[in-house]
Amino acid sequence: MALSNVLHAPAAGFNFDHAARNAELEGLFDAQIPKPVKTGTTIAGVVFKDGVVLGADTRATSSEIVADKMCSKIHYIAPNIYCCGAGTAADTEKTTELLSSNLTIFSLNSGRNPRVVMAVNILQEMLYRYHGQIGASLILGGVDCTGNHLYTVGPYGSVNTMPYLAMGSGDLAALGILEDGYKPDLELDKAKELVRAAIHAGVMNDLASGNNIDICVLTREGVDHIRPYQVSQYKDKRKTKYKYGAGTTAVLTEKVVPVKLEVVEETVQRMDTA
Amino acid sequence: MVVLKGYGMLRHSRTIMRTAHGRIIQRASKYRIVHDVDLYRMFRIENATQPDVRVFRTESARDGITMNSRGLRSQLKDSVPVAGLCPQGAYGIQDCLRSGFSSVKNELLPSHPLELSEKNFQPNKDKMNFSTLRNIQGLHAPLKLQMEYRAARQIQRLPFLPSSNLALDTLRGNDESIGFEDILCDPAQSEMMGEPHLMVEYNLGLL
């Protein structure tokens, strides 16, 4: 039976129609394919006496070029949960936004603040479902009724919990500082200084991390998101506006020619004003 | 376990596919797509008496998609096939303009590692939940739930209009969560619509 013009709408969600074509084209345009923006990064977190401190650098790279010098890597998830993201920038953004939306729906439905384990479970299920194709390594920290928590979720869905964690391309440098300086039940100032030193080590020793350092302190009382906590000492003196003031260019001669206009045609149209 | 209203029991069987060289690319005989839920078949224990499906990809001159074909048989069995349930174009042939040239390789094997698992995500999730429920509470629990699902699936608008499937989503628990299927490729915002008269006649079987 010949059927013409009967439409089957594509299913919702990811569409793989062009995957075969893209695979065929892969070898042809090597030099011209734009690379995705990665937050090749240093992110770290430390659990201290009254809560959790999260820290991150602010550089986003697109292969060898710095794409963003002031990007924000500490994302809001819930009033009591924040998340640092490393990996592909768009993936971390959208994943954390989805997570935040899901937790908002939950808290509106149940009237409670979400727990950090809930956020971790949702993330883990989502990332495992896509088998690592979503390149997001995240450090989640939060304070809820059961205490102060710090978790890390890898791109394939692996979860780890420790009192101090670091992720990203600068994680080895940061972990060195954290391993050396961490003690249980730190005070707030010591914890902030430890995280700052860890991120600073990442900034100094890793090419893909740099510029400023952001810190986010989560306690039972509230959240203190300090951007920037430490500004990079290497600043460039570029102006953002390039508008020149009047009189910058010298005027050599001036000639004014008036333009004469003649009336060619005149029509009058009456308006109906009632 | 795919949804097409007003179709009853539709069965579609595929035969053995051969390449131009006579080599069997994939043996997919007795491969049935049942459009209504076949409860008895879903819950009986199946013996692995069918021969193993071996998937060969012949490497052409240009490097095609290399993929790990280990888990492929379990994904291809009893699930929505790669090309979709019906050919997309007019007169039952694949529409070259919209979906490119067709080949046996493209129709049988997925072009992306996630393609099959995403297409079958909802049916697989339902199967897993129902079999767990069956093991815990007995056969009555999934049977009753399946009955409700069937009833909820029949609540649709006219054939050419997209439906929100609110009742079905509520039953599944999807109304309280947001995923990529709510953001990307939303059927309510699709730019193409079927021709109303033809779609209605197709649904009523008059075409």
Side-chain angles (χ1 to χ4, degrees):
Chain A
M1 173 167 51
L3 303 166
S4 64
N5 297 330
V6 176
L7 179 74
H8 300 279
F14 287 108
N15 196 342
F16 297 101
D17 286 348
H18 292 313
R21 181 204 71 173
N22 292 343
E24 295 287 323
L25 288 176
E26 219 163 276
L28 296 177
F29 296 111
D30 264 336
Q32 292 140 4
I33 297 178
K35 292 274 184 306
V37 171
K38 293 185 146 280
T39 59
T41 244
T42 311
I43 48 177
V46 159
V47 175
F48 71 104
K49 198 170 66 168
D50 304 318
V52 178
V53 178
L54 298 170
D57 70 309
T58 56
R59 176 179 289 183
T61 53
S62 172
S63 55
E64 302 94 26
I65 304 179
V66 174
D68 192 351
K69 290 193 285 274
M70 270 288 280
C71 91
S72 165
K73 300 185 190 179
I74 306 186
H75 310 280
Y76 165 88
I77 307 278
N80 56 333
I81 306 176
Y82 272 67
C83 172
C84 306
T88 312
D91 288 345
T92 58
E93 273 283 341
K94 279 299 158 195
T95 313
T96 47
E97 271 179 22
L98 272 178
L99 176 64
S100 175
S101 305
N102 279 318
L103 287 180
T104 314
I105 296 179
F106 163 78
S107 30
L108 287 171
N109 268 337
S110 63
R112 294 165 195 200
N113 257 349
R115 295 196 194 177
V116 188
V117 279
M118 241 196 102
V120 172
N121 279 333
I122 295 176
L123 263 184
Q124 182 182 32
E125 277 179 18
M126 191 193 303
L127 290 175
Y128 180 70
R129 173 177 167 178
Y130 294 103
H131 293 290
Q133 302 281 341
I134 296 188
S137 327
L138 307 161
I139 293 188
L140 273 131
V143 178
D144 57 25
C145 54
T146 48
N148 316 324
H149 299 282
L150 187 66
Y151 289 93
T152 174
V153 186
Y156 285 83
S158 55
V159 171
N160 237 339
T161 172
M162 285 269 282
Y164 56 93
L165 287 166
M167 290 288 264
S169 54
D171 61 349
L172 291 175
L175 266 177
I177 302 287
L178 288 173
E179 293 269 359
D180 188 39
Y182 175 77
K183 279 186 267 300
D185 286 335
L186 283 166
E187 292 296 329
L188 173 62
D189 302 323
K190 295 258 176 50
K192 281 205 310 209
E193 175 51 34
L194 180 64
V195 172
R196 188 214 62 84
I199 306 288
H200 187 70
V203 159
M204 283 293 137
N205 296 303
D206 178 36
L207 282 178
S209 317
N211 303 101
N212 307 337
I213 297 179
D214 293 347
I215 294 262
C216 185
V217 180
L218 295 111
T219 50
R220 190 165 276 268
E221 285 79 46
V223 173
D224 189 16
H225 190 176
I226 313 168
R227 326 187 50 211
Y229 184 72
Q230 173 186 303
V231 179
S232 155
Q233 58 204 163
Y234 305 105
K235 273 193 284 211
D236 50 9
K237 298 184 183 55
R238 275 183 282 180
K239 293 187 280 210
T240 42
K241 280 203 177 118
Y242 290 91
K243 199 172 156 70
Y244 296 100
T248 310
T249 314
V251 178
L252 296 177
T253 50
E254 194 175 313
K255 179 178 172 191
V256 177
V257 177
V259 177
K260 289 205 199 67
L261 294 171
E262 332 178 331
V263 177
V264 176
E265 191 191 328
E266 188 176 329
T267 52
V268 176
Q269 195 171 44
R270 282 199 179 276
M271 264 192 350
D272 280 332
T273 53
Chain B
M1 198 170 91
V2 180
V3 182
L4 277 173
K5 279 88 26 224
Y7 277 82
M9 299 287 254
L10 253 181
R11 287 174 201 277
H12 170 94
S13 68
R14 247 181 232 228
T15 52
I16 297 175
M17 304 280 181
R18 290 182 192 273
T19 62
H21 308 291
R23 219 189 311 170
I24 299 174
I25 284 196
Q26 183 185 6
R27 203 170 308 163
S29 54
K30 294 188 193 151
Y31 177 53
R32 295 184 303 174
I33 310 159
V34 182
H35 284 213
D36 276 338
V37 172
D38 192 347
L39 288 173
Y40 176 66
R41 189 160 147 260
M42 187 192 289
F43 292 121
R44 77 168 184 233
I45 300 163
E46 292 182 289
N47 298 320
T49 50
Q50 290 170 6
D52 265 351
V53 173
R54 222 175 273 193
V55 177
F56 295 105
R57 284 197 78 100
T58 52
E59 293 291 313
S60 51
R62 210 190 296 160
D63 218 292
I65 306 158
T66 50
M67 45 176 248
N68 181 13
S69 55
R70 265 183 84 198
L72 213 50
R73 198 223 172 203
S74 61
Q75 284 184 326
L76 283 172
K77 181 170 117 114
D78 273 350
S79 57
V80 182
V82 169
L85 290 161
C86 317
Q88 299 286 324
Y91 302 102
I93 325 172
Q94 193 175 18
D95 188 348
C96 280
L97 190 66
R98 294 218 175 88
S99 25
F101 294 115
S102 66
S103 70
V104 173
K105 188 166 84 172
N106 285 342
E107 274 183 39
L108 291 179
L109 298 173
S111 48
H112 192 274
L114 282 182
E115 185 173 353
L116 283 177
S117 82
E118 278 300 298
K119 253 199 183 100
N120 299 315
F121 187 73
Q122 195 60 52
N124 283 342
K125 189 167 140 195
D126 285 343
K127 274 187 210 170
M128 197 170 72
N129 287 338
F130 283 132
S131 78
T132 316
L133 201 56
R134 195 254 161 117
N135 288 333
I136 297 176
Q137 297 193 9
L139 190 58
H140 76 98
L143 278 180
K144 283 188 184 148
L145 278 178
Q146 292 275 34
M147 187 179 74
E148 288 178 28
Y149 275 51
R150 231 181 255 216
R153 238 182 270 149
Q154 289 172 13
I155 307 169
Q156 297 280 322
R157 302 164 81 189
L158 288 172
F160 51 91
L161 293 172
S163 164
S164 66
N165 288 319
L166 186 62
L168 196 56
D169 270 351
T170 310
L171 277 177
R172 285 200 174 121
N174 287 343
D175 63 331
E176 287 180 341
S177 68
I178 300 182
F180 287 110
E181 53 273 354
D182 299 305
I183 305 173
L184 299 172
C185 214
D186 192 6
Q189 293 170 6
S190 102
E191 293 146 358
M192 296 203 296
M193 189 180 87
E195 214 270 309
H197 297 289
L198 280 172
M199 297 289 281
V200 172
E201 286 174 15
Y202 184 61
N203 261 25
L204 293 174
L206 300 171
L207 197 65

